[in-house]
Amino acid sequence: MTNGTAATDIPSAVAGDSVPEPGWGFPLRIAIPQWMSGALPSYSDLPIWWTPRRDWVLAATPDRESMWASVVNQAATKFAALGFAVSDSQDSTIRTARAQDLLHGLDGWVPFATKVVQDYLTTDNGIFIRLRRANEKTERVRLKAYYGTEGTQFDEVAVSSSSPGARINALYHLDSLRCTRTGNLTYPVRYTAVDGTYHLLRWDQVLFTADMISPRTEMYGVGRCAASRAYLTISKLHAMEQMVFEFMAGRGANKLVFVQGIAESTLKGMIKAGEAEADAKGLMKYLGTILGAIPSDTPISTVEILLKQLAQGFVPAEERANAYLIYAKAVGLSPGEVQPNPAGLNSGKREEIQSDQAKGYGLAAFVKWFEQTFSRRVLPETTELKITDEHDTENQKKKAEVQKLRAETRAVQIQSGEINPALARQLAVDSEDLPREVLQQDATAGGELSDDEKPLPDSLPNAAALQLLQSLPLTPPKEQQQSAMKATDAVDQLLDEEYDAALDVLRRLAGGAP
């Protein structure tokens, strides 16, 4: 939604795609997948896509599998650990300070960012951020929800009213499991509070998105989160770890052994002696091998009956490695971040390549959405948000090297007279090596804006920038040097002429020949 534009001024692509009342959309969104469920395969206990119960199961996946919980935490803390920079094209310290306070919020940036990413990764419904504006007033209204067996049914909901252009005073993370997408353009989200009351949120009071957004119209933007995409792997690894745990630490016997040639009392005495020795060693689960001497020449024979064992050829380490790779791909992390590559030839280079590849998907798309949405819908027109990775020195180094290479190229072009400093500055701005504020007038045809830039106001450049621009030379050093040499030659010639004229005068006064 663009600034200053009401939701009702932006119709859906086809009449009838948006519902007239916020209460009508939810039953439709639940009914459509249920009608289609007969053709959907079922490989696990995950509820059908999409129902609220499915998100309850997905949100609980970190409690189901420990490594998946670690990956979700790693992604959430990685985003929370990123820094952010707020800039203002008119250098307004008031606007930048207010934007910083807004992003820090009541709980701080880290708790806010951590909760948002967890919802993004573990719910198909996605994330919801509440925008509280100045002078909001809440009132309760009756909302026509649907037509039931007893006639038209009404819900009582709370609606907060304020001007869409009012200043945003606070940001809040909303629990995704309590948010319902209505399909109504004016009130797209319905929130259920802890006390059971319903709150309708207007289009300018909430931000929301999801991972891998569905193209199906009736889903209203529901997606398929990382937990949804990796659920089969999460379930498989959970079952495997549970099986290994029970095999190693469970109380059930692994096999049944019939021993012939030894008294039962002797056998039990040997087992108790082994247990006592294990207790003395501090062993809690594993007894090891029990050794005992039998004073008899009677041969001993045994018959074993296996009660439980791991599948033949089953290698847990291989299953874990495959699962960790799937986790990394689903979340958008480098595989080396989830499971470090084994040491060996070119292992460091391989991890660097994987890290570079991971920067283009997963969380990278979420970071881009966060920057663009906050810059356009939350911050003032001249203020812009940038998410920065203070720890990514390698990326900063590569960027600086490319900028240096372009700067050296422009310097050579200036020295050769191919371009002048003014044109070099224009090229630097077009390459984003310099901010556009340093140009008195942008000469690029039609202007150019990247996807995360805001247009500059007409008042730029400011007075300080203009003074700086006017003090810079417009001609390249080579032309300046040639001009200076010509001026020096002219002065020398003038001095020579004046010297000759003065010498002639002295000779005449002395009565000599001219």
Side-chain angles (χ1 to χ4, degrees):
M1 219 67 69
T2 56
N3 290 334
T5 305
T8 52
D9 296 334
I10 305 178
S12 56
V14 177
D17 277 354
S18 60
V19 297
E21 296 287 344
W24 291 7
F26 183 71
L28 176 64
R29 188 156 51 93
I30 296 299
I32 296 296
Q34 294 292 340
W35 294 338
M36 300 170 58
S37 62
L40 296 176
S42 177
Y43 300 108
S44 66
D45 58 344
L46 185 63
I48 187 174
W49 185 89
W50 184 87
T51 57
R53 195 164 62 91
R54 179 185 178 96
D55 270 358
W56 280 96
V57 174
L58 292 174
T61 50
D63 298 324
R64 187 171 190 179
E65 207 283 295
S66 58
M67 190 59 193
W68 169 248
S70 299
V71 172
V72 171
N73 178 68
Q74 183 176 354
T77 53
K78 181 178 181 179
F79 177 74
L82 296 176
F84 65 83
V86 180
S87 61
D88 190 84
S89 57
Q90 294 182 341
D91 295 329
S92 171
T93 56
I94 296 178
R95 283 194 289 266
T96 53
R98 284 178 178 172
Q100 185 189 54
D101 290 342
L102 188 64
L103 287 167
H104 279 305
L106 299 178
D107 297 331
W109 163 256
V110 173
F112 171 79
T114 302
K115 289 186 286 188
V116 166
V117 174
Q118 286 183 76
D119 266 352
Y120 185 76
L121 296 177
T122 61
T123 63
D124 288 340
N125 203 24
I127 64 171
F128 296 83
I129 300 173
R130 172 77 160 94
L131 310 180
R132 185 170 293 280
R133 298 182 177 272
N135 303 320
E136 278 195 8
K137 296 181 181 180
T138 302
E139 58 181 343
R140 303 192 67 81
V141 298
R142 295 186 68 194
L143 176 70
K144 184 169 68 173
Y146 58 93
Y147 187 82
T149 56
E150 300 179 0
T152 303
Q153 305 295 313
F154 291 88
D155 279 342
E156 189 174 284
V157 297
V159 177
S160 297
S161 60
S162 64
S163 171
R167 191 176 71 193
I168 299 173
N169 289 334
L171 300 174
Y172 302 91
H173 162 264
L174 294 180
D175 185 350
S176 178
L177 300 179
R178 295 182 172 273
C179 294
T180 301
R181 298 166 184 259
T182 67
N184 180 266
L185 293 178
T186 306
Y187 292 95
V189 176
R190 176 175 173 169
Y191 177 76
T192 305
V194 176
D195 62 2
T197 59
Y198 298 126
H199 296 257
L200 281 180
L201 300 179
R202 204 171 57 200
W203 65 271
D204 61 297
Q205 296 172 338
V206 62
L207 305 175
F208 56 99
T209 189
D211 191 9
M212 194 178 170
I213 298 175
S214 170
R216 305 286 76 81
T217 303
E218 63 274 2
M219 291 297 103
Y220 306 138
V222 170
R224 287 178 174 84
C225 65
S228 186
R229 299 192 297 269
Y231 186 79
L232 291 179
T233 301
I234 296 170
S235 298
K236 181 180 70 173
L237 203 61
H238 161 72
M240 184 195 77
E241 298 295 355
Q242 183 71 20
M243 179 179 65
V244 173
F245 175 79
E246 291 181 359
F247 180 80
M248 298 297 296
R251 296 190 60 179
N254 296 338
K255 58 184 177 180
L256 186 62
V257 180
F258 297 95
V259 182
Q260 185 177 7
I262 183 174
E264 184 177 354
S265 58
T266 304
L267 182 61
K268 288 182 178 180
M270 293 172 58
I271 294 176
K272 286 183 179 180
E275 291 176 346
E277 184 179 356
D279 290 339
K281 293 179 180 179
L283 301 178
M284 301 297 294
K285 299 292 185 182
Y286 186 66
L287 297 182
T289 302
I290 300 176
L291 299 178
I294 302 175
S296 173
D297 295 333
T298 304
I300 298 175
S301 61
T302 62
V303 177
E304 296 183 355
I305 300 177
L306 293 177
L307 299 179
K308 66 175 183 178
Q309 65 175 346
L310 296 177
Q312 192 171 10
F314 174 71
V315 183
E318 294 180 359
E319 294 296 330
R320 291 190 187 100
N322 181 59
Y324 298 162
L325 177 61
I326 294 175
Y327 288 171
K329 291 289 186 181
V331 171
L333 296 175
S334 166
E337 294 180 87
V338 177
Q339 185 182 35
N341 291 312
L345 186 63
N346 295 327
S347 60
K349 187 64 177 178
R350 180 170 64 250
E351 187 165 341
E352 180 181 345
I353 294 174
Q354 291 176 345
S355 179
D356 289 341
Q357 291 174 342
K359 292 175 183 177
Y361 59 85
L363 283 179
F366 174 72
V367 171
K368 178 68 73 173
W369 173 88
F370 200 91
E371 287 179 334
Q372 294 179 348
T373 304
F374 271 68
S375 295
R376 291 180 60 83
R377 293 194 52 191
V378 178
L379 303 181
E381 183 179 358
T382 59
T383 310
E384 189 173 348
L385 172 68
K386 284 285 187 182
I387 301 296
T388 59
D389 189 350
E390 302 170 353
H391 310 288
D392 192 359
T393 55
E394 186 64 29
N395 188 46
Q396 296 174 12
K397 179 182 176 182
K398 292 179 181 179
K399 184 176 180 181
E401 290 175 351
V402 174
Q403 289 179 333
K404 179 183 177 183
L405 180 61
R406 286 196 293 255
E408 291 174 348
T409 302
R410 292 191 296 268
V412 172
Q413 292 174 315
I414 291 175
Q415 291 294 336
S416 66
E418 182 179 353
I419 61 176
N420 62 14
L423 181 55
R425 285 194 298 274
Q426 178 68 63
L427 295 176
V429 169
D430 292 344
S431 302
E432 297 186 356
D433 293 338
L434 290 175
R436 289 192 299 125
E437 291 89 335
V438 303
L439 287 181
Q440 183 176 358
Q441 184 176 0
D442 194 341
T444 302
E448 182 177 345
L449 285 176
S450 65
D451 59 348
D452 53 1
E453 282 185 316
K454 287 187 174 183
L456 294 175
D458 296 335
S459 59
L460 291 180
N462 57 37
L466 186 59
Q467 183 179 2
L468 177 63
L469 291 173
Q470 292 173 344
S471 67
L472 295 176
L474 297 178
T475 55
K478 183 176 181 180
E479 293 183 7
Q480 295 178 35
Q481 184 178 7
Q482 292 176 349
S483 176
M485 292 177 61
K486 290 180 181 179
T488 302
D489 293 341
V491 171
D492 291 342
Q493 183 178 358
L494 179 61
L495 291 175
D496 290 341
E497 292 176 354
E498 291 179 350
Y499 175 78
D500 292 340
L503 186 61
D504 289 342
V505 171
L506 289 175
R507 287 174 177 172
R508 288 195 185 98
L509 291 176

